Amino acid sequence: MAPIDARMAFERHATSKIRKADDLFALTTMGFRGEALPSIAAVSHVVLQTRTEDSEQGIRIELEGSKVVSSEPVVCSVGANFAIKHLFFNVPARRKFLKTDETEFRHIINEVQNIAAVRPRIAFTLRHNETITLRLDPTSPKQRIIDIFGKRLQDNLLTIDMETPLVQIRGFVTKNTAGRKRGAQQYFFVNERYMKHPYFHRMVLNAYGGLMPEGESPEYFIFLTVDPASIDVNISPTKTEIKFEAETDIASILYSSIREVLMMGAAVPSLDFDTHNPLDIPVAKQRNDSDFFPEPPTISPEVEVSSKMNSRGDTAQNIQLLESDFKMPDLSDWDKFYEEFESQRLHTKSQAPHQNPLITAPTEESTTSIEVPRPMIYGKYALFSHPMGLAIADLSRVRYKIYYEQVKRGYKAGGATSQRLLFPSLIELSAKETDLLKKHQELLARIGFDISDMGQNAFTINAIPDGISAGSEELLLIQLLTECSGGSKGQEENILEALLRQLIHFRVEQSPSKFTPEEAQELITQLMELPEHLVTPEGKTIISILTHKELEQRF
């Protein structure tokens, strides 16, 4: 900037975005009212050094709380360099509302990523505590997305390129096989500015309808170019909500363009009839009905009926007979009544038959295992007879509960066990993931990870938790870092519990999804030996029982 422009930039409502009234309807920047820079200068110490390309020397302006402290010529490079220090020095009450340093730094990373994603031809360097956290070299749009959000996207991005008179849509979406259950990166940009648009987001999800496993979300980076006069950017102060004139038409074009890319063949898996692993179709065998449906217990409650009662007799007569059998006790002598009542209660309790509980926790006196009949398998569910009726067990949750108790016992006994990798895995993370890893590296070590920092957002995984197959450590680590992003300072134990659950979920997903009756019987037997076996740690049902009464009502 020229010296006079540099000085005027800190005045309220000073802007270079508009030169005539028509420019108000052709905005392509974050704002135009000249409020951001004066607002920052009002609550901080700001130093600006700037020089135009046709000038031999630049200017250095220093401000403290909107007051110019110095203004002098300086030798500097072409461009503008802002140094902002002592934020909220004159309003200490406002400083109390700041989050932790890690949280505020993640917000800075988000803003830098949003700006860098739409300007791939410009280099960006982000330093934090004298350490380079993010370095982006000029490159292609696709490579810039990979550099920012991780190399895991390299083989999973599909290119969108659609141009119509109404809108130009370019960008990238992931294959339907590369969905993520948590932490999916989803970005919209319009005219080179970041935005949030729930309606467009639903259209993207609808385009994946039926092509992605349930519970997973796609990742997308979509850049829209429209006429600036057809949008309104002043919906909210954050400038992330934008109103489109032709919102419905643009949404339909977006849906069609994504659907076309997904249906071209690269994203849709095809059946391979020459595969070396043909479908295992079992041969039907002759079985009796009793093999599939074991007979339920035929224990009927015994009901004693007075011989004096006549079901066909007069109702009044029956009531008189009942009154003669059941008379109110004499309450005139309360002490005598209480002694007779207590002696009768103890006598009744001693004669009552012993009733075993449904599930008993293993104790030193009782070590008998609970026998579970051979169940019938239907998908991931197991059906077996139960003293209370017909039991249906979700075998995935059964396995999850067993793993959870095993890991919890092992962790309390002396910490999680690890398995060393024969060849350490080298991974490159995004700036945000790197910040999360450094913050929670101790917690990750407590659950079995051994990770070394190689610099420049690169890490080597030397050991992984026991029970996790080699080759999936990068995916597991990213899922755990996503889980860590929801925690805050002072909640390490809560984060650790969440990490253990996520680790066990991942281990269950890696386990075989098909069960034999023998495997199901063994899993259910192990489950029954646990003190709590009906629900998962999250409160989800593991075993549902249809009682005899409920079964009879269905027929």
Side-chain angles (χ1 to χ4, degrees), residues 301-311 318 322 325-326:
E302 296 181 359
V303 180
E304 295 183 0
V305 181
S306 175
S307 59
K308 299 179 182 180
M309 295 292 294
N310 183 7
S311 59
N318 290 335
L322 288 173
D325 289 342
F326 303 99

Side-chain angles (χ1 to χ4, degrees), residues 25-275:
F25 304 99
L27 295 174
T28 58
T29 56
M30 291 298 292
F32 65 93
R33 291 173 290 188
E35 295 177 354
L37 193 56
S39 299
I40 294 174
V43 294
S44 63
H45 294 180
V46 181
V47 177
L48 167 62
Q49 291 187 167
T50 181
R51 178 172 74 89
T52 58
E53 191 173 1
D54 56 353
S55 301
E56 294 182 357
Q57 63 181 6
I59 186 172
R60 182 181 186 274
I61 300 177
E62 184 176 353
L63 298 94
E64 295 182 2
S66 297
K67 296 180 180 180
V68 179
V69 177
S70 65
S71 178
E72 57 187 7
V74 67
V75 177
C76 61
S77 59
V78 176
N81 189 328
F82 289 89
I84 302 172
K85 303 178 181 179
H86 308 298
L87 189 61
F88 302 123
F89 78 99
N90 52 357
V91 280
R94 176 63 181 83
R95 193 185 304 121
K96 295 180 180 180
F97 290 93
L98 291 174
K99 305 296 183 182
T100 61
D101 293 343
E102 293 82 3
T103 302
E104 297 294 343
F105 181 61
R106 284 201 296 271
H107 293 164
I108 294 174
I109 292 177
N110 288 337
E111 293 300 326
V112 174
Q113 289 178 345
N114 294 341
I115 296 173
V118 294
R119 295 169 177 83
R121 301 301 179 186
I122 299 178
F124 290 84
T125 303
L126 177 62
R127 291 182 176 88
H128 179 57
N129 294 335
E130 305 301 327
T131 302
I132 296 179
T133 303
L134 182 65
R135 184 194 296 274
L136 301 173
D137 297 324
T139 183
S140 63
K142 182 177 181 179
Q143 188 59 45
R144 174 57 59 88
I145 296 296
I146 295 172
D147 292 342
I148 293 176
F149 300 103
K151 289 191 174 181
R152 58 184 176 79
L153 297 171
Q154 189 158 4
D155 298 328
N156 295 318
L157 290 181
L158 302 174
T159 303
I160 300 175
D161 191 354
M162 174 71 70
E163 187 170 355
T164 67
L166 186 62
V167 62
Q168 181 182 16
I169 302 177
R170 288 189 172 88
F172 309 93
V173 295
T174 54
K175 300 178 181 178
N176 65 315
T177 56
R180 300 186 68 179
K181 292 189 175 181
R182 296 193 62 184
Q185 304 292 340
Q186 299 170 338
Y187 288 83
F188 280 113
F189 302 90
V190 58
N191 294 347
E192 296 188 347
R193 62 188 296 159
Y194 170 75
M195 73 164 183
K196 296 178 180 179
H197 207 289
Y199 183 45
F200 290 171
H201 171 72
R202 288 199 304 271
M203 282 298 170
V204 175
L205 298 184
N206 291 341
Y208 278 86
L211 302 177
M212 182 166 286
E214 185 178 357
E216 296 186 359
S217 298
E219 298 184 275
Y220 57 80
F221 312 89
I222 298 175
F223 305 87
L224 307 176
T225 303
V226 298
D227 183 5
S230 65
I231 60 176
D232 185 1
V233 299
N234 291 301
I235 302 298
S236 68
T238 59
K239 306 296 180 67
T240 58
E241 298 179 17
I242 297 178
K243 181 66 176 177
F244 291 77
E245 280 187 1
E247 186 177 77
T248 304
D249 296 333
I250 294 176
S252 299
I253 298 173
L254 177 64
Y255 171 86
S256 301
S257 58
I258 295 177
R259 192 72 177 180
E260 180 182 357
V261 169
L262 294 175
M263 298 300 292
M264 285 178 64
V268 180
S270 58
L271 290 175
D272 185 5
F273 294 95
D274 297 327
T275 180

Side-chain angles (χ1 to χ4, degrees), residues 4-18 31-38:
I4 188 171
D5 290 336
R7 177 61 187 85
M8 290 297 296
F10 293 95
E11 298 295 330
R12 292 190 63 191
H13 307 302
T15 178
S16 60
K17 312 294 177 57
I18 54 176
F32 65 93
R33 291 173 290 188
E35 295 177 354
L37 193 56

Side-chain angles (χ1 to χ4, degrees), residues 538-553:
E538 295 84 1
K540 297 181 179 179
T541 302
I542 300 176
I543 297 179
S544 179
I545 299 176
L546 290 174
T547 63
H548 303 302
K549 184 177 181 180
E550 291 174 336
L551 288 173
E552 289 178 357
Q553 289 177 351

Side-chain angles (χ1 to χ4, degrees), residues 349-550:
K349 184 177 179 181
S350 62
Q351 291 184 345
H354 178 68
Q355 184 176 4
N356 292 324
L358 176 62
I359 300 299
T360 56
T363 59
E364 294 182 358
E365 291 117 14
S366 173
T367 57
T368 58
S369 61
I370 300 171
E371 293 188 9
V372 176
R374 187 173 182 270
M376 185 182 73
I377 306 301
Y378 183 78
K380 67 172 184 176
Y381 300 99
L383 285 75
F384 58 96
S385 63
H386 193 278
M388 294 181 61
L390 179 64
I392 305 174
D394 187 327
L395 295 176
S396 297
R397 294 180 181 176
V398 171
R399 180 179 280 163
Y400 170 74
K401 178 69 174 181
I402 295 172
Y403 285 169
Y404 177 81
E405 295 297 335
Q406 291 175 351
V407 171
K408 199 171 182 180
R409 285 197 301 267
Y411 184 80
K412 289 182 178 179
T417 57
S418 302
Q419 52 181 348
R420 306 292 299 184
L421 295 177
L422 183 61
F423 300 101
S425 177
L426 178 64
I427 62 173
E428 292 188 18
L429 302 176
S430 65
K432 186 188 299 184
E433 292 168 343
T434 299
D435 180 59
L436 288 170
L437 177 57
K438 291 181 178 179
K439 180 182 177 182
H440 300 287
Q441 190 165 0
E442 182 179 350
L443 289 178
L444 292 171
R446 290 170 64 182
I447 65 174
F449 274 98
D450 180 10
I451 303 174
S452 301
D453 189 355
M454 305 300 292
Q456 297 295 323
N457 298 343
F459 298 85
T460 57
I461 302 177
N462 306 308
I464 57 178
D466 192 20
I468 303 300
S469 60
S472 59
E473 57 274 0
E474 181 177 356
L475 178 60
L476 172 60
L477 180 60
I478 291 175
Q479 290 185 7
L480 295 178
L481 292 177
T482 303
E483 191 72 39
C484 290
S485 63
S488 60
K489 192 174 181 181
Q491 297 178 337
E492 279 117 5
E493 293 303 321
N494 294 337
I495 298 175
L496 180 62
E497 176 72 16
L499 291 179
L500 288 175
R501 293 181 181 181
Q502 184 67 27
L503 174 64
I504 298 166
H505 273 299
F506 189 85
R507 184 178 172 186
V508 170
E509 291 175 357
Q510 283 192 320
S511 303
S513 58
K514 294 183 178 180
F515 302 87
T516 63
E518 292 76 15
E519 293 172 343
Q521 184 179 17
E522 182 179 357
L523 285 174
I524 297 173
T525 301
Q526 295 179 24
L527 176 71
M528 292 298 188
E529 295 174 354
L530 300 177
E532 173 57 56
H533 63 279
L534 294 179
V535 294
T536 65
E538 295 84 1
K540 297 181 179 179
T541 302
I542 300 176
I543 297 179
S544 179
I545 299 176
L546 290 174
T547 63
H548 303 302
K549 184 177 181 180
E550 291 174 336

